[in-house]
Amino acid sequence: MPVPWFLLSLALGRNPVVLSLERVVGPQDTARCSPGLSCHLWDGDVLCLPGSLVSAPGPVLVPTRLQTELVLRCHEETDCDLCVRVAVHLAVQGYWEDPEDEEKFRRAADPELEEPRNASLQAHIVLSFQAYPTAHCVLLEVQVPAALVQPGQSVGSVVFDCFEAALGAEVQIWSYTQPRYQKELNLTQQLPDCRGLEVQDNIQSCWALPWLNVSADGEDVRLVLDVSEEQRFGLSLYWNQVQGPIKPWWHSNLTGPQTITLNHTDLVPCLCIQVWPLEPDSVRTSICPFREDPRAHRNLWRAARLQLLPPLGWRLDAPCSLPAEATLCWQPLDGGPCLSLVPPLPRENVTVNKVLEFPLLKGHPNVCVQVSTWEKLQLQECLWADSLGPRKDDMLLVETRGPQDNGSLCALEPSGCTPLLSRASTRAARLGEQLLQDVQSGQCLQLWDNDLGALWACPMDKYIHQRWALVWLACLLLAAVLFLLLLLKMSRVKAAARSRAALLLYSADDASFERLVGALASALCQLPLRVAVDLWSRRDLSAQGALAWFHAQRRQTLQEGGVVVLLFSPGAVALCREWLQDATSAPRAHDPHDAFAASLSCVLPDFLQGRAPGRYVGAYFDKLLPADAVPALFRSVPVFSLPSQLPDFLGTLQGSAAPRPRRLAERAEQVSRALQPALDSCFRPPGAPGTGRRMGPEAGDRT
C-alpha cells in the first residue's frame, strides 16, 4: 500500500528543502515603524506583567495583529543565531466621550493655526517573548499624528528586531498596551530545526547533528539514523501532547549508524522522534511524522478509554489530544438509542487526561456521556455502569423557560420531545397531566437548572397496571410467549453453534508456528467451536499413536457434522507433494507424534475420490505461504488466506449457525487481535537484532 513516509524521507534527507533567511548584523535590538509614525525602543528589559483591564479615556492606540519572520543575527560569517522578528499592526480604538475634547484635539493639530501644536496619539506597546525556560519583554513607544487618528482605522505597524531563540523551540509571543485597554494578542510558533533552514553552515550547533530518515518497512516503520560509526547520540520517542507536558515513551543512547523498526500498532498521531548528539548544549531535532497517518488515528481511538468518576466526574484517557466533542444523553430503560441532551445542555470540547464535571445538579443512572467526532460516535459510558445502580424506568422532562417567565414541558422520547398536554399517542402524552402534577408536587428529581430551562426525571413505576389491566395482561402474555419462542430459537442456535466441531491438522514446522496454531485454536474456541488439535492431546497421541488418534478424531468430527481444517505451511506443502509425487512407494518415516503426516494416508483418498467437499476446509497464513503454493488437488474445497479472509473462514467453520455479517466481522476482529502477538513472533525475520531493532514497550530504557 502507498505510504506517505517516503515523501517525508525525501524532505528529511541530506538535501532537504531549505528556506533562505535574511541576515541581521550586530547584537543590538532595534525598532522601526511605518511612514507617518514615530517609535522608540526603551533600553533594558521591562517586567512582563500585563496588569488589569482599564477603560479607555477616549481614542487609544492598540495592537490588532502579530506577524513574525525568521532572520539570522550574525556576529561573524559562520557564527549566527536564529532570531524572531515581530511586526505589530496598530489601530485606533474608542471614541471621545466629550465632543469638546475631540474639538480641542483637532484644533491643536490644525496646520492653519498661527501656532499649531504637535498633537499626537501616544501608546506604550509591550512585546512579551517566551521560549522555555526563558522570558523576555521589551517596551515600544509609538506616536501617531492627530491627522491619522480615525477611530476603528488601522494606522500602520511597528517592527522589532529581534528575539533570539533556540532551533526547534516552541515560542509564545504576547502584545498589549500599558495600561491595558483590551485582551492581549498572542501567537504560538514552532521554530524549525537545522533541517528546515539554510543554516547548516552558519549555526555551529548544527554541524554535528545526526540525520534521520523515516520510511516504510511493510506494515511497520523504519528509522534510519545516518551518522558516523563512532558518533554517540541520544534517541527519544515521546508523545507530544498539546494539553499537558511531553510524555516520554522510549529513550536510548546509541552509537551510529542505526536502523530501528517501529511496530505499526505503536503509531499514534502525537508520536514524535527526537535525536541529538551526546555533547554539551547540543541541538535537539524533533519530528512528528505520523500526524496525518490514518492508522495512527485508528490506533489512538483504540487506546482511548472513557472513565466515569463518582459522583459527577469523567475523564478521557488517551496518549494524544483528540479532536472530539463530549455530550450527555439519556438512555431509556428499554434500550434503544441514547437520546441526546443537546440542547439544552451544551457540547464540550474534549480535554484528554483531565477530570471534567457533568453540568448536573444530581446524577442519574440513565445519564450517559458520549464522545464523538464529526464522523461518528466513538465512545459511550453510562453512570449506571459504575455506582448508581441499574437504569430506571423514568421519564425525562425538558422544561423550556421564556423571557416572560412562562415555560413549557415536553417529554424526551425516541420520536422527539413530546409536549405533555398534546394529543400524541405516546406514553408521555397519555400521562401528561399526571406528570405535570408530579413536577409541581416535587415527586420528580431535578437534574439540571438554569435561566433557560431545567431537566426533570420522573418515576413511571406507579403508573404501571393502573389502566387497561386486561389489555396489559394480554400483552404481557403475548410478550412472554414470544420471549419463550425467542429463547427456544436462541437455545437451538446456541446448541447448533456449540455442537459444531473442528479438527485442526497442521505440520509442526517449528516452535513459533506451533505457538501460532495454538493461538488460532484458542481463539476458535471462543466463537464457540469445539476444536480438536494434537497440541492439546499429547498424552492420547503417545498412548494411541498419531494414526489411530487421527482416525478417531476424524470419525467423531464428521459424524457430528463438523469440519476438518487443513492448515497449510511450507512443511505441510512439502509433505503433500511428497505423497502426491510417489503415492505408490512407501513414504519416508516421520515423527510418530506428527498427526499431519499420519493423516495424509486418509486425507488424500478423500480428495482423490471426490469426498472432500463439505468435509474439509483449507487455510494458510498469507505472509508465510504464497497463495499458489497450495497444491491444486486441495482446491476442490474452500482455501482461505489468514488473517485477511478471517470473516469468510469463520463463517464456513460455523456453517448454518454463523451469525450475521456485522457480528461475524466483530468475531473476526477478536480472532485477529488474539493472533497478532503470535503472528508478530512467527514472522519476525531471523537475525533482526543484529541489523535493526524491534522496538516496543519492552525494548530500550523506558523513562
Side-chain angles (χ1 to χ4, degrees), residues 160-309:
F160 171 75
D161 275 334
C162 56
F163 293 112
E164 293 187 10
L167 290 163
E170 181 181 85
V171 300
Q172 293 180 312
I173 304 171
W174 286 270
S175 179
Y176 50 89
T177 59
Q178 282 188 344
R180 188 159 64 95
Y181 300 119
Q182 66 176 16
K183 184 179 179 181
E184 61 267 23
L185 297 179
N186 67 82
L187 183 148
T188 300
Q189 182 174 357
Q190 181 71 43
L191 301 185
D193 54 30
C194 295
R195 298 172 183 274
L197 301 170
E198 194 181 50
V199 297
Q200 298 173 24
D201 297 330
N202 305 114
I203 299 181
Q204 297 180 6
S205 57
C206 292
W207 294 354
L209 185 68
W211 294 100
L212 172 67
N213 290 328
V214 182
S215 60
D217 184 11
E219 288 292 320
D220 298 330
V221 181
R222 184 169 55 202
L223 312 180
V224 180
L225 292 106
D226 185 8
V227 296
S228 62
E229 294 185 1
E230 288 141 13
Q231 182 177 353
R232 298 182 68 249
F233 60 92
L235 178 69
S236 177
L237 303 181
Y238 63 92
W239 291 324
N240 187 25
Q241 297 177 328
V242 175
Q243 301 154 344
I246 289 175
K247 187 175 181 181
W249 180 64
W250 186 89
H251 168 79
S252 184
N253 293 333
L254 305 170
T255 302
Q258 288 284 343
T259 299
I260 299 172
T261 302
L262 284 175
N263 195 306
H264 68 90
T265 58
D266 295 328
L267 305 183
V268 290
C270 64
L271 180 61
C272 299
I273 308 160
Q274 188 176 78
V275 61
W276 68 96
L278 293 177
E279 298 174 359
D281 300 325
S282 59
V283 174
R284 297 193 175 205
T285 298
S286 298
I287 57 173
C288 303
F290 312 115
R291 289 173 178 165
E292 305 300 328
D293 187 84
R295 293 183 302 175
H297 285 272
R298 288 194 296 268
N299 292 339
L300 177 58
W301 279 111
R302 291 191 187 107
R305 295 293 179 268
L306 181 59
Q307 297 187 35
L308 301 182
L309 308 173

